[in-house]
């Protein structure tokens, strides 16, 4: 009997596991179709397709982009925009996007968006001018409105691209001088620039950078990002200045990012915490002409890091 007891226990465990498996139905429920789908011709041979990110509860793991009935691109869940290239000038296209979950279920395609590529300008070798001015304002904790002065081009502007920290986050049409940005984070500083693009896919230089700070979401309390962050390069040094966030206590510790990576922690000792504007000077050994992008965040009283300051781009000098 002592030998048979383990065998009986194993059989009971196997039966229990079989019953449990039988009661767990496979996931066959597809996620909802992506919303907010837009398509904008960026040149005579490319179209920029964008859509809204899926809600976390939908369990989306990726997206499939279709032109007509043809799958043209597969993307992970964190990507909600893509350039479709290699198209034919002066041709109409219809794009749809489907969401996919971890079980391989595909959403419906949702309504198609139609776009026509412009006429090719084979001899166009001149990029557009940069937009002369840029303005922006937050329209909510997760949205902002950005506007710009129209650019000029010898063959005509075909699109305007909005960049944040050197990354394109939105594309608007050639006749637009403003657009709404969505999917932003509350209590965050965004440094935005706008570039014009023509039919040969030439981009202008950046227009003037503008900072916009989204307000905290309801219940988040005051903003936590250092404000009025500035960086100035001089021979062998970089000088930083900023205003501390209002946290109810002295802010003694800041984390500095250079080119997207955490580089150093700036600490102010007891009795040396600045009031008003804070200052810090970095000694640099990199060669003149090196380009840095810098941003800063503060250590909060609860021990967490706060939101990032605006990002500043400088060129080191010898």
């Amino acid at each position: 009997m002592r030998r048979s007891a383990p065998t009986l226990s194993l059989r009971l465990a196997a039966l229990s596991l079989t019953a449990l498996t039988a009661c767990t139905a496979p996931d066959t429920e597809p996620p909802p179709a992506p919303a907010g789908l837009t398509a904008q011709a960026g040149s005579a041979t490319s179209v920029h397709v964008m859509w809204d990110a899926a809600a976390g509860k939908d369990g989306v793991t990726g997206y499939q982009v279709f032109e007509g009935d043809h799958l043209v691109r597969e993307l992970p869940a964190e990507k909600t925009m893509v350039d479709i290239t290699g198209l034919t000038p002066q041709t109409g296209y219809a794009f749809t996007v489907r969401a996919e979950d971890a079980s391989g279920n595909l959403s419906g395609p949702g309504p198609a968006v139609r776009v026509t590529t412009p006429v090719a300008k084979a001899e166009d070798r001149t990029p557009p001018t940069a937009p002369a001015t840029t303005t922006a304002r937050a329209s909510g904790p997760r949205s902002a409105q950005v506007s710009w002065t129209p650019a000029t081009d010898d063959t005509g502007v075909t699109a305007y691209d909005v960049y944040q920290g050197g990354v394109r986050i939105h594309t608007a049409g050639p006749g637009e001088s403003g657009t709404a940005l969505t999917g932003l984070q509350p209590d965050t500083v965004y440094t935005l620039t706008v570039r014009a693009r023509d039919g040969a896919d030439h981009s202008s230089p950046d227009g003037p950078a503008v900072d916009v700070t989204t307000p905290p979401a309801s219940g988040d309390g005051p903003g936590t990002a250092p404000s009025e962050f500035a960086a100035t390069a001089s021979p062998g040094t970089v000088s930083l200045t900023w205003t501390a966030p209002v946290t109810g206590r002295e802010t003694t510790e800041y984390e500095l990012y250079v080119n997207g990576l955490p580089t150093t922690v700036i600490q102010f000792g007891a009795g040396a915490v600045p009031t008003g504007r804070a200052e810090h000077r970095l000694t640099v050994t990199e060669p003149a002409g090196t380009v840095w992008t810098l941003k800063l965040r503060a250590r909060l009283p609860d021990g967490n890091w706060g939101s990032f300051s605006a990002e500043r781009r400088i060129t080191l000098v010898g």
Side-chain angles (χ1 to χ4, degrees):
M1 292 297 293
R2 284 194 297 271
R3 292 180 182 176
S4 61
T7 303
L8 179 60
S9 298
L10 288 173
R11 288 175 179 172
L12 289 174
L15 288 172
S16 298
L17 181 59
T18 302
L20 180 62
T21 302
C23 292
T24 304
D27 177 16
T28 59
E29 182 71 20
L37 181 63
T38 62
Q40 174 64 51
S43 70
T45 58
S46 67
V47 168
H48 186 66
V49 182
M50 296 185 295
W51 58 93
D52 295 340
K57 63 182 178 59
D58 295 332
V60 170
T61 58
Y63 298 100
Q64 295 185 359
V65 182
F66 288 80
E67 194 290 301
D69 295 329
H70 304 291
L71 176 65
V72 293
R73 196 67 67 88
E74 292 188 80
L75 299 165
E78 63 270 18
K79 300 291 186 180
T80 58
M81 63 175 66
V82 65
D83 282 316
I84 307 301
T85 58
L87 304 179
T88 303
Q90 210 171 359
T91 302
Y93 293 92
F95 292 95
T96 54
V97 177
R98 296 187 176 193
E100 184 177 14
D101 65 19
S103 298
N105 300 310
L106 280 177
S107 74
V113 293
R114 300 181 183 279
V115 61
T116 300
T117 51
V119 177
K121 303 289 185 179
E123 300 304 317
D124 183 7
R125 300 182 181 275
T126 304
T129 63
T133 62
T134 314
T135 59
R137 60 176 178 82
S139 52
R142 300 183 184 277
S143 61
Q145 187 75 27
V146 58
S147 303
W148 55 87
T149 303
T152 59
D153 184 71
D154 58 343
T155 61
V157 172
T158 59
Y160 289 96
D161 297 320
V162 181
Y163 284 77
Q164 146 64 22
V167 177
R168 184 174 57 177
I169 61 172
H170 192 83
T171 294
E176 299 182 49
S177 58
T179 191
L181 304 179
T182 58
L184 306 181
Q185 296 299 312
D187 185 27
T188 301
V189 183
Y190 291 91
T191 301
L192 305 173
T193 57
V194 179
R195 300 177 194 173
R197 197 150 37 109
D198 65 18
D201 228 11
H202 297 136
S203 289
S204 75
D206 284 332
V210 61
D211 294 338
V212 59
T213 303
T214 53
S218 178
D220 281 357
T224 61
S227 60
E228 300 173 309
F229 179 52
T232 304
S234 56
T237 64
V238 171
S239 298
L240 309 176
T241 59
W242 66 91
T243 299
V246 178
T247 63
R249 300 183 190 176
E250 291 183 332
T251 304
T252 62
E253 195 172 355
Y254 297 86
E255 186 176 39
L256 178 67
Y257 276 60
V258 177
N259 294 338
L261 299 174
T263 301
T264 188
V265 173
I266 301 168
Q267 294 180 314
F268 296 97
V273 179
T275 58
R277 294 289 285 171
E279 298 183 11
H280 183 74
R281 180 170 293 182
L282 300 169
T283 300
V284 298
T285 58
E286 284 80 355
T290 301
V291 176
W292 277 6
T293 57
L294 304 101
K295 58 185 178 181
L296 195 71
R297 60 181 181 175
R299 177 83 75 179
L300 304 181
D302 65 2
N304 292 319
W305 292 109
S307 298
F308 280 110
S309 69
E311 188 172 73
R312 299 298 178 224
R313 181 183 179 93
I314 61 170
T315 301
L316 303 185
V317 297

